[in-house]
Amino acid sequence: MKAVVFEDVGLAGIHDRAVPSFGAGEVLVKVAATGICGTDRAILLGDFPARRGVVLGHEAVGAVAAVGAGVSSVAPGDRVVINPTYHCDRCRPCRRGMPAHCGAKAGREVGVDRDGTMADFAVVPERFVHRLPASVSYRRGALVEPLACVLNNLTAARLRWDDQVLVVGAGPIGTLCALVLAWRGARVALAERDPGRVALARLLLPRTVRVLAAQEAAGADTPDVVIDTTGSLPGDVLGAVAAGGTVVVMGEKEAGLATVPLRALVTRGIRLAGAGPYRPADFELAVALARELPLEALVTHVLPLERYAEALAMLAVAPAGPGRSKPEGYSAMKVLLASDESLVP
Ligand SMILES: [Zn+2]
Ligand SMILES: [Zn+2]
């Protein structure tokens, strides 16, 4: 089978791999498509540690090809989405109800240190395979995993009905945050520096979302909640949020640091929150909400696996190789790599 493999920082390649074998309790998924995530970018840019030789990708949809002994919740032919955030259920965090912070993740991180889904097939333990509702296309279902991330972070924001929310960064995650918040009826503004992404966000999002070019953000309503998806928390955000407000740090970078004005934190009662990975329940909620949310609006490109380098270039990453030019900046929102293009019209 074909697979997109992480060779080294700045280096990926399409490799011929054996279809992975599966055992009891496991499901062989024929992958339809995988969304390219910030994590895949970060791995290639050297901003996120990953095992060399690993198959990249974790935001995947597909159909069950075969099941191992004892698998009862899915059957061959079922359309499914993969929850790539594995947990063991045995360690202390898992037993204390925090499986997102499972202490036994080594070797279990899909597309990081365990083979991922940018391939024709992937093997997944049964409990991390979820059936897609009949009304949810693969194109939409590929956004279920990022939606789970967003739901988890919006939970950490502890939103109130009258909150004014500012989302910083109009990448797929920021745009998805704004989409969910608008759907919930929240007052939401989205700030972004990249002019291409400002234009895309304006096109994709409901009119109720104010999309601000970054320099306009200063003139926006004072936010009660800021969701920062950029990985470079602007230093002035804590001063800009309303008293009693919350700043959720959703984006981060390897060795990323921020300077926090402690007085604002203390005297104005600002809460600075991180959510961590999503919980299994967030993923299940994301599958259910996919029935209603037009997630596919974020998908601007679908390319076959073989064109992975072109796809990455649209996201401002240039893995080395012949005939590849240096990308200028973002020219896409969510890009899917299709293992089978006919399934993702
Ligand atoms: Zn992801
Ligand atoms: Zn665990």
Side-chain angles (χ1 to χ4, degrees):
M1 67 170 193
K2 299 183 299 293
V4 178
V5 171
F6 168 60
E7 295 173 349
D8 208 331
V9 171
L11 215 57
I14 196 123
H15 290 215
D16 199 14
R17 287 279 180 94
V19 173
S21 55
F22 59 97
E26 291 183 319
V27 177
L28 180 70
V29 177
K30 168 110 174 54
V31 180
T34 301
I36 301 181
C37 171
T39 305
D40 304 310
R41 286 187 79 241
I43 289 171
L44 282 164
L45 293 169
D47 276 337
F48 195 95
R51 179 170 64 76
R52 273 130 183 96
V54 80
V55 177
L56 288 166
H58 57 273
E59 300 177 357
V61 284
V64 173
V67 298
V71 170
S72 59
S73 63
V74 290
D78 285 351
R79 298 161 66 254
V80 294
V81 56
I82 295 168
N83 174 354
T85 304
Y86 294 0
H87 55 88
C88 76
D89 265 349
R90 294 199 187 106
C91 71
R92 189 162 188 270
C94 279
R95 286 187 285 106
R96 296 186 75 212
M98 298 184 291
H101 300 286
C102 174
K105 286 203 169 169
R108 289 198 169 104
E109 293 200 75
V110 178
V112 177
D113 62 7
R114 173 191 171 107
D115 278 342
T117 61
M118 288 179 185
D120 292 327
F121 292 92
V123 169
V124 184
E126 177 183 14
R127 64 195 175 120
F128 299 108
V129 177
H130 296 256
R131 255 203 306 250
L132 277 177
S135 61
V136 177
S137 67
Y138 283 140
R139 193 180 269 260
R140 180 181 289 198
L143 270 297
V144 162
E145 198 271 350
L147 176 60
C149 296
V150 163
L151 294 173
N152 182 36
N153 279 268
L154 295 183
T155 301
R158 297 184 202 155
L159 290 162
R160 303 185 337 179
W161 286 106
D162 57 349
D163 280 335
Q164 174 71 45
V165 187
L166 174 67
V167 180
V168 184
I173 288 289
T175 306
L176 202 46
C177 278
L179 184 74
V180 173
L181 287 163
W183 174 77
R184 274 283 303 262
R187 293 182 296 156
V188 53
L190 176 63
E192 166 65 49
R193 255 196 308 236
D194 184 289
R197 286 204 145 163
V198 169
L200 269 178
R202 284 193 177 135
L203 201 69
L204 304 177
L205 287 168
R207 295 237 165 165
T208 51
V209 178
R210 291 188 63 195
V211 181
L212 309 160
Q215 59 269 28
E216 301 170 28
D221 298 328
T222 302
D224 303 290
V225 171
V226 175
I227 317 262
D228 180 66
T229 70
T230 64
S232 47
L233 184 71
D236 53 358
V237 146
L238 266 78
V241 70
T246 297
V247 176
V248 178
V249 182
M250 192 167 176
E252 49 88 20
K253 288 187 182 126
E254 184 93 340
L257 295 172
T259 303
V260 174
L262 295 176
R263 178 155 290 168
L265 209 67
V266 174
T267 63
R268 301 179 57 246
I270 309 297
R271 193 168 63 93
L272 191 57
Y278 50 81
R279 294 148 296 185
D282 293 315
F283 198 89
E284 285 165 30
L285 178 60
V287 174
L289 290 185
R291 287 194 176 108
E292 298 179 46
L293 283 164
L295 305 170
E296 68 281 3
L298 270 72
V299 178
T300 52
H301 300 78
V302 181
L303 295 176
L305 279 185
E306 294 85 346
R307 289 169 66 189
Y308 70 92
E310 211 178 310
L312 287 162
M314 289 175 184
L315 300 169
V317 190
R324 311 231 172 98
S325 55
K326 201 171 156 50
E328 301 277 306
Y330 290 96
S331 57
M333 187 62 78
K334 195 67 176 180
V335 183
L336 306 186
L337 280 180
S339 304
D340 184 343
E341 271 185 294
S342 70
L343 295 173
V344 199

